[in-house]
Amino acid sequence: MSDFDVVIVGGGIAGASLGAEIAHKRRTLILEAEDHCGFHSTGRSAAFWLESYGGPKVALLTSASRSFLEQPPADFVDHGLLHRRGALHLSREGWADLPNGVESKRLERGEIERLVPGIREEWRHAVLEPGCADIDVASLHSAYLRLFKRGGGEVANGARLTGAQRTEGRWSLSLADGASLQASLLIDAAGAWADPVAEMCGARPLGVAPKRRTMVQLRVGRRGLRELPLIDDADGTFYFKGEGDCSVWLSPHDEITTGPCDAAPEEIDIAIAIDRFEQVVDWPIERVERSWAGLRSFAPDRLPVYGFDPGQPGFFWCAGQGGFGIQSAPAAAKLAASALLGDPLDPALAHIDPALFAPGRFSPSAATSSAV
Ligand SMILES: Cc1cc2nc3c(=O)[nH]c(=O)nc-3n(C[C@H](O)[C@H](O)[C@H](O)COP(=O)(O)OP(=O)(O)OC[C@H]3O[C@@H](n4cnc5c(N)ncnc54)[C@H](O)[C@@H]3O)c2cc1C
């Protein structure tokens, strides 16, 4: 079992969803360094679907993923993967700007108080985005892995890629445990490790930069919070949403540059999160129930990268999903699969230009031609 059409490096949501789209057409292997897929960013997200997030180009992918997440095919998973909660974008002055086409409504102070009892006086404006929903990330990820395997795909866990050479149109790949295998195409879905994997394969790194984000599960002296909307501010300094009856998931919206690693929360970021939370509501804080951190990896223009590398044949990018990799996965996987296999794009995605996300946008010739 050492000869494949396609090897995917990384078994997070990016590798699993793209793998599920291609496994029935190409003999495909997912290589995952950790003992289980989803150990890194995919297992650490805040799990929301927020159409306005990431700007208008990301919103194309997020919006196009909605119907699949809302009503997935019965043979994929037997329940919907979205649970609607709505989002409130708060501001002290003015109103948050949302991309065109995103359903939203401006709220006055009275309505804000009704939705968030105990909100501090200074938060006078809010834009309600009613479509925001929680995503059942674990079910989505495991359903993609199941579909991948049903299509004939194989998953190797504890299998870290450590070396790659391309000769005569084939990859010779070596793993940390000394095993080796061959493949025609290699997909880089390595999340925070996307650039190191590219370098290992002789491709020019694109500058995909991991940024640490902290999450805190906070117990507060207030009940009835489970269905609380996702609440953030227009300046991007915090967000929180209801978790349990008396608890919230809170983030200081941090974005700390780091190397690829098993990210852990820092005390200072937890303290900043709590301080910012206290400036929003007057709810007594009882304790931190748990905290975690994960990496959101961004290309220099903060758009994802799907497509063949312009300089290294047989090397395909599926990286840079930043803070939107779960909510955009269904559409992104279809778009990437069509670029990989040369198949026509799903008609439901016909309005999306794959060139927006192609890695060629970073090549020096693209820079020259756009500068002319
Ligand atoms: C705190 C936080 C909150 C977030 N909230 C949201 C949200 O609400 N909604 C949303 O849509 N997105 C959210 N995101 C973003 C989302 O989690 C990511 O965009 C997504 O999980 C990225 O998926 P991935 O498969 O690219 O990366 P990962 O899940 O990190 O998978 C990459 C995998 O590659 C493997 N790998 C790396 N190098 C090698 C190698 N050499 N050999 C073999 N395997 C290798 C790693 O072990 C890893 O498992 C959040 C992220 C964080 C950190």
Side-chain angles (χ1 to χ4, degrees):
M1 291 291 171
S2 61
D3 212 342
F4 295 87
D5 298 322
V6 183
V7 161
I8 301 177
V9 185
I13 193 71
S17 55
L18 178 50
E21 292 290 340
I22 64 169
H24 59 293
K25 295 188 171 170
R26 298 287 189 279
R27 189 148 180 255
T28 307
L29 172 73
I30 290 178
L31 285 180
E32 171 50 58
E34 304 291 348
D35 289 341
H36 74 267
C37 297
F39 177 81
H40 288 288
S41 304
T42 298
R44 305 175 189 211
S45 84
F48 52 75
W49 184 96
L50 183 64
E51 198 174 12
S52 61
Y53 179 80
K57 292 174 185 164
V58 171
L60 290 170
L61 296 171
T62 304
S63 311
S65 298
R66 179 178 198 140
S67 59
F68 181 90
L69 293 169
E70 220 156 34
Q71 288 187 302
D75 60 354
F76 183 72
V77 63
D78 64 2
H79 58 279
L81 297 165
L82 294 186
H83 174 77
R84 200 180 270 232
R85 70 162 67 238
L88 271 189
H89 308 292
L90 300 177
S91 38
R92 295 179 175 94
E93 301 289 335
W95 307 90
D97 254 347
L98 268 53
N100 284 342
V102 175
E103 187 191 350
S104 65
K105 185 183 166 206
R106 290 181 172 184
L107 303 186
E108 297 298 341
R109 177 70 196 173
E111 289 170 284
I112 302 170
E113 275 170 25
R114 189 181 58 74
L115 288 168
V116 193
I119 188 160
R120 297 199 187 275
E121 191 55 41
E122 67 211 70
W123 300 99
R124 308 207 59 79
H125 300 95
V127 175
L128 175 70
E129 188 177 339
C132 175
D134 289 346
I135 309 173
D136 182 347
V137 179
S139 294
L140 175 67
H141 185 225
S142 56
Y144 270 130
L145 287 172
R146 268 198 312 277
L147 182 59
F148 173 70
K149 290 177 189 166
R150 267 206 318 273
E154 295 174 46
V155 179
N157 279 108
R160 181 179 297 280
L161 181 75
T162 50
Q165 273 208 316
R166 188 152 177 99
T167 34
E168 293 170 10
R170 300 278 292 160
W171 289 105
S172 295
L173 305 175
S174 37
L175 307 187
D177 66 0
S180 58
L181 46 106
Q182 304 264 317
S184 303
L185 300 179
L186 184 142
I187 298 175
D188 182 354
W193 288 264
D195 267 6
V197 164
E199 274 186 297
M200 199 188 294
C201 296
R204 193 176 63 89
L206 298 180
V208 177
K211 313 265 181 192
R212 189 177 69 237
R213 172 143 298 177
T214 308
M215 299 292 304
V216 183
Q217 183 171 314
L218 204 59
R219 171 116 185 164
V220 296
R222 178 125 211 160
R223 303 196 68 116
L225 301 182
R226 196 179 298 278
E227 298 295 328
L228 187 77
L230 172 72
I231 297 171
D232 64 11
D233 69 328
D235 294 336
T237 63
F238 65 83
Y239 64 75
F240 56 93
K241 67 174 185 175
E243 163 58 13
D245 190 38
C246 335
S247 61
V248 294
W249 277 10
L250 163 70
S251 172
H253 213 273
D254 47 345
E255 198 165 289
I256 294 158
T257 301
T258 170
C261 62
D262 180 2
E266 303 265 337
E267 287 301 322
I268 180 72
D269 298 316
I270 297 173
I272 290 171
I274 293 173
D275 177 56
R276 291 181 182 171
F277 180 75
E278 287 182 309
Q279 292 173 39
V280 184
V281 282
D282 65 4
W283 307 343
I285 289 164
E286 293 186 346
R287 63 177 181 275
V288 171
E289 291 184 321
R290 68 187 181 105
S291 60
W292 68 97
L295 302 179
R296 299 153 69 251
S297 298
F298 291 94
D301 60 3
R302 295 178 76 96
L303 294 177
V305 192
Y306 302 117
F308 280 106
D309 187 84
Q312 176 56 289
F315 185 90
F316 189 93
W317 289 89
C318 179
Q321 289 86 351
F324 45 80
I326 316 279
Q327 63 180 32
S328 60
K334 284 190 189 307
L335 184 121
S338 117
L340 183 87
L341 303 178
D343 287 348
L345 192 56
D346 185 321
L349 305 179
H351 60 293
I352 304 180
D353 178 3
L356 287 174
F357 308 115
R361 68 189 193 267
F362 298 115
S363 60
S365 57
T368 314
S369 56
S370 62
V372 170

